[in-house]
């Protein structure tokens, strides 16, 4: 994959990132929480990956610096959405929770990393 995204301009590649909580998923994580150097970060797929990459290409994710309070809010929402998904829960309540979920894509980006593809043809 060519990395010409304006989102990545000036950001370093980081290694050793561990995805620990996934909120959005499509053939692999699209956003959620990750651990890097002992701190929690928000991660999100690069927009070009979502719209233009082949499923066989590694997914490119951007790390965003967040506060402990933001991470706690995301974890709470993750638990709530997981509980809805595991049961025969109220679909309208799930949709409201999904629509109001926290995303931290606007938080300062600190780097990017590859996530190998999880889809195999």
């Amino acid at each position: 994959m060519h990395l010409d995204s304006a989102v990545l301009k000036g950001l370093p590649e980081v290694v050793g990132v561990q995805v620990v909580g996934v909120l959005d998923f499509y053939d692999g994580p699209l956003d959620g929480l990750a651990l890097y150097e002992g701190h929690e970060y928000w991660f999100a797929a690069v927009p070009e990956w979502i719209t233009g990459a082949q499923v066989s290409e590694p997914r490119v994710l951007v790390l965003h610096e967040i506060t402990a309070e933001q991470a706690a809010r995301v974890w709470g929402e993750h638990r709530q959405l997981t509980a809805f998904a595991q049961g025969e829960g109220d679909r309208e309540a799930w949709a409201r929770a999904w629509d109001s979920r926290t995303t931290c894509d606007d938080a300062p980006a600190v780097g990017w990393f590859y996530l190998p593809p999880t889809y195999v043809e």
Side-chain angles (χ1 to χ4, degrees):
M1 174 178 211
H2 61 288
L3 295 175
D4 60 359
S5 172
V7 173
L8 302 178
K9 187 172 178 117
L11 291 178
E13 179 179 5
V14 293
V15 295
V17 177
Q18 178 186 5
V19 171
V20 294
V22 175
L23 271 82
D24 199 1
F25 186 94
Y26 183 81
D27 286 340
L30 293 174
D31 68 29
L33 292 170
L35 280 177
Y36 176 63
E37 295 185 344
H39 300 283
E40 288 182 312
Y41 290 83
W42 176 258
F43 73 85
V46 172
E48 286 83 356
W49 189 93
I50 296 170
T51 60
Q54 299 296 317
V55 294
S56 61
E57 295 177 350
R59 187 162 298 186
V60 179
L61 302 168
V62 176
L63 278 183
H64 297 271
E65 188 172 11
I66 59 174
T67 66
E69 292 80 19
Q70 287 172 304
R73 186 170 54 246
V74 171
W75 276 120
E77 293 170 2
H78 182 270
R79 286 189 295 276
Q80 181 184 31
L81 290 166
T82 300
F84 282 131
Q86 291 176 347
E88 294 288 327
D90 180 346
R91 290 180 187 260
E92 289 182 29
W94 183 91
R96 284 191 304 275
W98 180 260
D99 290 342
S100 66
R101 76 188 183 98
T102 299
T103 61
C104 302
D105 297 347
D106 293 332
V110 298
W112 61 272
F113 64 102
Y114 284 115
L115 190 67
T118 57
Y119 176 80
V120 178
E121 292 187 44

